[in-house]
Amino acid sequence: MESRYNRLAVKHDAANKELQDARKEAGLNDVLTRTNFVVKRMGEIDQKAFEVACSLKFPKEDRQEMCAKLCSLWQQNVQDPKWHPFKMINIRGNLQEILDEDDEKLKELRSEYEDVVFEAVSTALMEMNEYNASGRYPVREVWNRKEERKATMKEIMEYAIKQLKNHKGKRKRMLFDAFKHV
């Protein structure tokens, strides 16, 4: 069962890499500005959680520096391949990897900085584990901001086609207007 799980994980990683390469090659990072879509770095900690926690814990003059240090430290922890705060559980005959909330570092984080920071670190860990468990560095993903989920290739292509049509229509109008004045 474990060897089957490992083979599936390898195939999943390969498919993810292929999709990332295709999106990069298509230049989607440039196309997605000012839309419901953004390029999100999966596995990167949301610094806003640390800003909230630090605003409650530190004096104003130290807040920004402490926030940056803490966020950087926890990002390093998330990216550390030696730290693997996950455990395998069996759900109806399927092995699934979940976050081990009994991990000492995570327990310490939760007790010191409450749930908002714990959730940010947990989210980054889960994303890192899903998108790049072997490399342990953040991976870019096209994200649907409106629905808070990974954008589908269909949504991205529909948006790109719509933009091309709009651009083509504007270009025709500009040419028509230019000849109208001649």
Side-chain angles (χ1 to χ4, degrees):
M1 185 79 130
E2 191 171 328
S3 106
R4 201 177 320 153
Y5 174 79
N6 288 337
R7 278 184 295 199
L8 281 173
V10 168
K11 284 183 180 178
H12 182 263
D13 288 347
N16 244 350
K17 174 96 173 88
E18 187 178 328
L19 184 58
Q20 294 299 327
D21 291 345
R23 287 178 175 167
K24 187 184 285 183
E25 197 171 306
L28 291 176
N29 294 354
D30 302 331
V31 173
L32 298 173
T33 55
R34 292 172 284 155
T35 70
N36 286 335
F37 303 112
V38 294
V39 176
K40 181 177 177 187
R41 292 175 46 93
M42 306 307 280
E44 190 169 82
I45 294 175
D46 180 6
Q47 189 169 343
K48 291 176 190 167
F50 282 90
E51 290 170 0
V52 168
C54 288
S55 71
L56 301 171
K57 198 166 181 95
F58 299 107
K60 192 173 186 176
E61 57 274 357
D62 299 337
R63 192 175 298 154
Q64 195 170 10
E65 182 181 348
M66 287 305 295
C67 175
K69 284 181 180 178
L70 284 169
C71 193
S72 177
L73 169 71
W74 279 98
Q75 186 65 50
Q76 286 175 352
N77 287 336
V78 167
Q79 290 180 242
D80 182 0
K82 294 176 194 135
W83 185 45
H84 194 78
F86 296 93
K87 62 183 177 183
M88 298 296 283
I89 61 168
N90 190 340
I91 299 177
R92 296 185 203 128
N94 292 324
L95 283 178
Q96 289 190 351
E97 199 168 29
I98 63 166
L99 197 64
D100 182 4
E101 294 187 20
D102 292 329
D103 177 83
E104 288 304 314
K105 279 186 183 179
L106 290 176
K107 283 171 44 176
E108 186 180 313
L109 175 70
R110 181 176 251 163
S111 71
E112 193 164 339
Y113 294 101
E114 304 294 324
D115 284 338
V116 68
V117 170
F118 175 83
E119 289 300 321
V121 171
S122 297
T123 298
L125 279 165
M126 295 299 288
E127 290 172 354
M128 184 72 72
N129 204 40
E130 179 182 349
Y131 285 87
N132 194 8
S134 59
R136 297 290 271 209
Y137 56 87
V139 174
R140 289 184 170 97
E141 182 63 74
V142 181
W143 193 254
N144 185 323
R145 269 193 298 204
K146 187 176 180 181
E147 298 181 23
E148 282 299 308
R149 63 169 173 76
K150 180 173 144 178
T152 65
M153 189 56 82
K154 181 181 177 189
E155 289 173 322
I156 297 165
M157 294 312 296
E158 286 173 350
Y159 174 77
I161 290 168
K162 181 180 173 187
Q163 290 302 105
L164 286 171
K165 285 180 180 176
N166 286 345
H167 181 70
K168 190 176 178 182
K170 286 179 185 175
R171 189 170 167 205
K172 281 183 183 176
R173 282 192 298 274
M174 284 174 39
L175 285 171
F176 179 73
D177 288 345
F179 284 115
K180 202 166 56 173
H181 299 291
V182 174

